[in-house]
Amino acid sequence: RRATKGIFLSVPPFSKLETRCAMSSSKELVGNEISDEEKVWMQQIEEAAKAQGLTLDNRYLLASLAIVTKGDVKKALNRLKNWNEATEMYRLKETTEQQSSQWVKDNMGSLFFSCGRDCDGMIGYGIRNGRIQPAKVATHDDTCYLIRCIVDNLRCNTTTLEEVRRGSFFMGDMSEMAWENFSP
């Protein structure tokens, strides 16, 4: 969504951003090419993932794993295993972006905010920690919606392979923290 008076109202439309990832020929995605070395890493990770029965959602995830782990197959498989477990546990494929965004908006307001980029082009991501109310995350469904919204925000920070290479930084706004932010 759009910022109004400098306040980030809700999460951006991530599903629209994901389509940009597949457009590697686009001039706006300079640096989104996969190097020959990264292609080798991808092949090694993909073969090892298949051998272990792990699910790779798409080629972008595979490329991201190769880049982040610098081809370390063991690290990539560990990350992929954790991703597969989280995807199942938090029903990430069953919960929609719209459902999770609406749940966060209704229960935590404008939880996320955009920080911009640092001098090296790394994307900043912000969360208003004081808006997280454990009492409002009462059911497994609530947890699934919150986790899905966080995942969607993280995806938004890395819509190109160049952004995966640069990484992200996270900032927490603690100004609204109070005792109700902690579980009893």
Side-chain angles (χ1 to χ4, degrees), residues 161-177:
L161 294 177
E162 187 56 34
E163 289 169 341
V164 171
R165 288 183 187 96
R166 286 185 196 135
S168 300
F169 67 91
F170 305 91
M171 294 181 64
D173 176 359
M174 308 298 268
S175 65
E176 297 177 16
M177 288 295 289

Side-chain angles (χ1 to χ4, degrees), residues 1 11 26 36 54 70-72 74 77 87 100-101 104 116 121-122 139-140 147 153 157-159 167 172 179 182:
R1 312 236 179 207
V11 293
S26 172
D36 290 340
L54 297 172
K70 299 196 182 329
D72 185 320
K74 184 177 178 181
L77 292 179
T87 298
S100 63
S101 296
V104 168
M122 187 181 292
T139 68
H140 185 65
I147 297 296
N153 272 273
N157 280 336
T158 53
T159 60
W179 283 113
F182 298 92

Side-chain angles (χ1 to χ4, degrees), residues 94-159:
E94 299 164 33
T95 307
T96 69
E97 172 192 330
Q98 291 77 19
Q99 290 170 319
S100 63
S101 296
Q102 189 63 50
W103 184 90
V104 168
K105 182 180 176 184
D106 292 346
N107 290 282
M108 298 182 186
S110 56
L111 181 62
F112 303 103
F113 63 95
S114 178
C115 295
R117 294 183 183 270
D118 71 0
C119 61
D120 295 320
M122 187 181 292
I123 290 180
Y125 168 82
I127 186 166
R128 292 179 178 90
N129 295 28
R131 304 258 170 107
I132 297 176
Q133 303 286 325
K136 292 186 178 184
V137 188
T139 68
H140 185 65
D141 284 346
D142 295 338
T143 303
C144 291
Y145 291 136
L146 178 59
I147 297 296
R148 170 65 197 255
C149 197
I150 292 169
V151 166
D152 287 339
N153 272 273
L154 292 170
R155 283 181 181 155
C156 183
N157 280 336
T158 53
T159 60

